[in-house]
């Protein structure tokens, strides 16, 4: 499909960046929620391995899926009930608080805002900002209302 | 070794992120009660704001710490930095697979809810704010990277549709986490909708928005953390898999059609005037 260009993935580059990010996550996981450092270290090492496996799949599998989708799939498959070592993996990654994993990412995001983006925000003005709020509210409410309806129809 | 050297050359950036992470985590979650519920402020919101404050493109203070080269280098890091988070979500889905399957019909059905952008935002953009074809790019999706690719492919990013999608992308990037944290915490604390429905709705195809959304939900209802994460993660995965196709084959044609219905005659005149000025800018219709 012409709308999708399959991005090139440099595994060495990703491995190096992920090492730094994982270290940041470990610090956050220890100072914030106060998780045990050794358990957190093992948990984050497992997440690191899942990410690298997902990236390798995204690079080499002949059909295209975004790397984040592959990473999700690897994480799901190795923690499915009945998979060998599943309990241990779930216990170890349980030492990592999920919210802390987003904290370094958002700091990079704040630092990465470019001049062009500030210009776009300025020229598009208040109308686009208002529309954006309704866009986000629309997708959230739309999905939540449908899910709520179907759940109650199911009686689940 | 080359890769390690490249990462090490950005040490100032990483040290700043380390400092912001520690500061944000030490403050922790803050709950602000409002009439109908509560707004939850999460560490990821503080670290984002700290990042903005230290951004040399935004504040003079930021210029003391890092240069614009480092700002440029930070952009590809965002995508990589969210990956451990995505992996963690995967590990919450596997063990809860039974619950996911029993929620399957709701999970699949709520993907259609992503078209809520058109139902809610499109009429406001066109009828209330009197926007032109920008409204098409702005409201057919939540304007994440795959959606930008669709618009770039169909209309180019220099078009009005392109301006619309880029505008919402930037606002979403700047304020999306806040908006999701606020919406999710208010809805979770008012208890109008099933918390599992709110969790599924968090999966909109953006890691940071899902983080803010599911973070607010779990903070509001800690006893359901595992189920919330599993459902949000599963829904997000579905959106990654289907979002591009729904955008391309359903949402964009739908919003294009709606635009013609609402603006038909009025816009044709405008389009002719536009194309008389700049023939090269004529857009493909339909």
């Amino acid at each position: 499909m012409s709308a999708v260009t399959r991005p090139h993935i440099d595994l060495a580059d990703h491995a190096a960046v992920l090492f730094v990010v994982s270290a940041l996550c470990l610090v956050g996981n220890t100072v914030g929620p106060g998780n045990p450092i050794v358990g957190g270290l093992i948990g984050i090492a497992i997440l690191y391995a899942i990410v690298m496996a997902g990236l390798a799949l995204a690079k080499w599998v002949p059909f295209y899926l975004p790397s984040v989708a592959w990473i999700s799939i690897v994480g799901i498959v190795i923690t499915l009930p009945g998979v060998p070592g599943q309990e241990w993996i779930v216990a170890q990654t349980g030492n990592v608080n999920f919210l802390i994993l987003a904290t370094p990412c958002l700091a990079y995001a704040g630092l990465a805002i470019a001049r062009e983006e500030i210009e776009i925000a300025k020229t598009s003005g208040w109308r686009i900002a208002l529309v954006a709020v309704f866009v986000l509210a629309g997708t959230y409410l739309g999905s939540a209302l449908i899910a709520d309806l179907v759940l109650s129809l199911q009686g689940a | 070794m080359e890769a390690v050297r490249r990462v090490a050359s950005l040490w100032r950036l990483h040290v700043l992120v380390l400092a912001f992470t520690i500061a944000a985590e030490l403050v922790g979650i803050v709950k602000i009660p409002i009439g109908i519920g509560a707004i939850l402020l999460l560490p990821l919101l503080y670290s984002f704001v700290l990042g903005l404050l230290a951004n040399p493109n935004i504040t003079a203070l930021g210029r003391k710490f890092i240069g614009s080269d480092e700002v440029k280098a930070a952009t590809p890091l965002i995508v990589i930095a969210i990956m451990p988070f995505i992996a963690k979500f995967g590990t919450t889905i596997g063990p809860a697979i039974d619950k996911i399957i029993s929620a399957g019909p709701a999970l699949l059905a709520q993907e259609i809810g992503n078209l809520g952008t058109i139902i809610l935002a499109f009429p406001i953009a066109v009828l209330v704010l009197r926007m032109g074809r920008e409204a098409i790019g702005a409201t057919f999706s939540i304007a994440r990277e795959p959606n930008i690719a669709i618009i770039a492919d169909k209309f180019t990013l220099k078009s009005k549709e392109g301006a619309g999608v880029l505008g919402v992308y930037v606002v979403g990037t700047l304020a999306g986490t806040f908006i999701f944290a606020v919406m999710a915490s208010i809805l979770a604390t008012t208890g109008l909708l099933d918390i599992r429905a709110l969790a599924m709705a968090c999966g909109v195809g953006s890691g940071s928005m899902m983080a803010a959304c599911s973070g607010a939900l779990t903070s509001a209802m800690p006893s359901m953390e595992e189920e919330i994460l599993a459902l949000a993660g599963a829904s997000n995965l579905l959106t990654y898999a289907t979002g591009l196709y729904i955008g391309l084959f359903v949402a964009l044609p739908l919003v294009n059609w709606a635009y013609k219905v609402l603006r038909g005659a009025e816009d044709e005149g405008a389009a002719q005037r536009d194309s008389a000025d700049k023939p090269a800018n004529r857009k493909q219709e339909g």
Side-chain angles (χ1 to χ4, degrees):
Chain A
M1 183 178 314
S2 57
V4 193
T5 30
R6 190 166 174 164
H8 167 76
I9 297 171
D10 183 333
L11 287 181
D13 228 46
H14 280 68
V17 173
L18 276 167
F19 185 82
V20 174
V21 170
S22 299
L24 295 172
C25 289
L26 181 60
V27 173
N29 191 52
T30 312
V31 300
N35 285 315
I37 189 160
V38 177
L41 176 68
I42 299 171
I44 285 174
I46 293 171
L47 296 178
Y48 184 95
I50 295 172
V51 172
M52 290 310 296
L55 287 170
L57 287 168
K59 190 177 170 78
W60 285 310
V61 169
F63 60 89
Y64 174 77
L65 265 185
S67 46
V68 278
W70 281 119
I71 294 164
S72 301
I73 291 168
V74 174
I76 293 169
V77 169
I78 64 167
T79 55
L80 283 173
V83 172
Q86 178 258 5
E87 277 173 24
W88 183 79
I89 293 174
V90 173
Q92 296 305 322
T93 52
N95 289 320
V96 185
N97 175 277
F98 86 101
L99 259 186
I100 163 66
L101 296 173
T103 308
C105 175
L106 267 287
Y108 286 113
L111 287 165
I113 301 290
R115 232 169 248 134
E116 295 80 14
E117 289 167 323
I118 299 167
E119 284 312 307
I120 289 176
K122 276 185 192 157
T123 51
S124 322
W126 64 271
R127 288 198 303 177
I128 205 86
L130 198 58
V131 168
V133 172
F134 285 110
V135 164
L136 299 184
T139 187
Y140 192 58
L141 288 173
S143 297
L145 289 171
I146 293 176
D148 190 74
L149 180 73
V150 176
L151 282 174
S152 59
L153 287 177
Q154 273 183 286
Chain B
M1 274 299 97
E2 187 52 38
V4 174
R5 210 169 298 131
R6 262 200 299 277
V7 173
S9 71
L10 297 172
W11 66 273
R12 270 193 298 251
L13 196 64
H14 301 307
V15 168
L16 273 182
V17 173
L18 174 67
F20 296 164
T21 302
I22 294 173
E25 288 300 326
L26 286 177
V27 175
I29 298 165
V30 175
K31 191 171 181 177
I32 303 173
I34 55 168
I36 48 168
I39 294 174
L40 298 159
L41 299 179
L42 307 172
L44 63 102
L45 300 175
Y46 320 143
S47 69
F48 182 64
V49 171
L50 289 170
L52 288 178
L53 291 176
N55 184 319
N57 288 326
I58 297 172
T59 63
L61 181 72
R63 266 161 243 148
K64 289 189 183 153
F65 299 115
I66 53 171
S68 52
D69 285 352
E70 280 156 314
V71 167
K72 270 201 201 93
T75 306
L77 299 185
I78 305 170
V79 191
I80 304 176
I82 202 71
M83 288 174 178
F85 173 84
I86 301 289
K88 165 78 185 177
F89 265 78
T91 64
T92 64
I93 297 174
I97 197 74
D98 289 341
K99 281 182 182 148
I100 305 267
I101 290 170
S102 70
L107 204 52
L108 287 174
Q110 60 83 38
E111 283 297 306
I112 304 165
N114 290 342
L115 298 174
T117 58
I118 302 174
I119 295 165
L120 187 65
F122 181 74
I124 292 172
V126 175
L127 299 176
V128 181
L129 299 171
R130 310 296 300 165
M131 283 167 76
R133 294 188 64 87
E134 292 90 342
I136 293 174
T139 65
F140 89 105
S141 72
I142 63 157
R144 293 295 92 197
E145 285 80 0
N147 312 114
I148 294 179
I150 293 173
I151 292 291
D153 192 58
K154 290 258 169 193
F155 302 100
T156 80
L157 291 181
K158 302 255 177 240
S159 64
K160 285 184 178 169
E161 294 85 347
V165 74
L166 287 177
V168 175
Y169 173 77
V170 170
V171 176
T173 304
L174 288 172
T177 46
F178 291 87
I179 296 169
F180 266 95
V182 169
M183 286 193 300
S185 48
I186 292 174
L187 285 169
T189 46
T190 48
L192 284 175
L193 296 171
D194 193 317
I195 191 93
R196 292 169 299 164
L198 295 175
M200 290 178 208
C202 290
V204 293
S206 156
S208 58
M209 291 182 202
M210 176 176 71
C213 181
S214 46
L217 292 182
T218 56
S219 313
M221 202 160 295
S223 63
M224 292 200 43
E225 171 163 331
E226 279 168 23
E227 200 166 353
I228 291 168
L229 297 191
L231 291 171
S235 160
N236 204 48
L237 179 61
L238 265 181
T239 306
Y240 280 136
T242 62
L244 184 85
Y245 304 99
I246 291 183
L248 190 59
F249 296 118
V250 182
L252 191 55
L254 184 65
V255 77
N256 235 325
W257 170 81
Y259 187 83
K260 276 188 193 141
V261 171
L262 288 182
R263 267 295 156 76
E266 195 184 328
D267 188 60
E268 235 155 71
Q272 271 163 15
R273 275 196 307 280
D274 277 359
S275 56
D277 293 343
K278 283 176 254 164
N281 276 358
R282 176 179 285 158
K283 274 156 229 101
Q284 59 194 90
E285 297 283 336

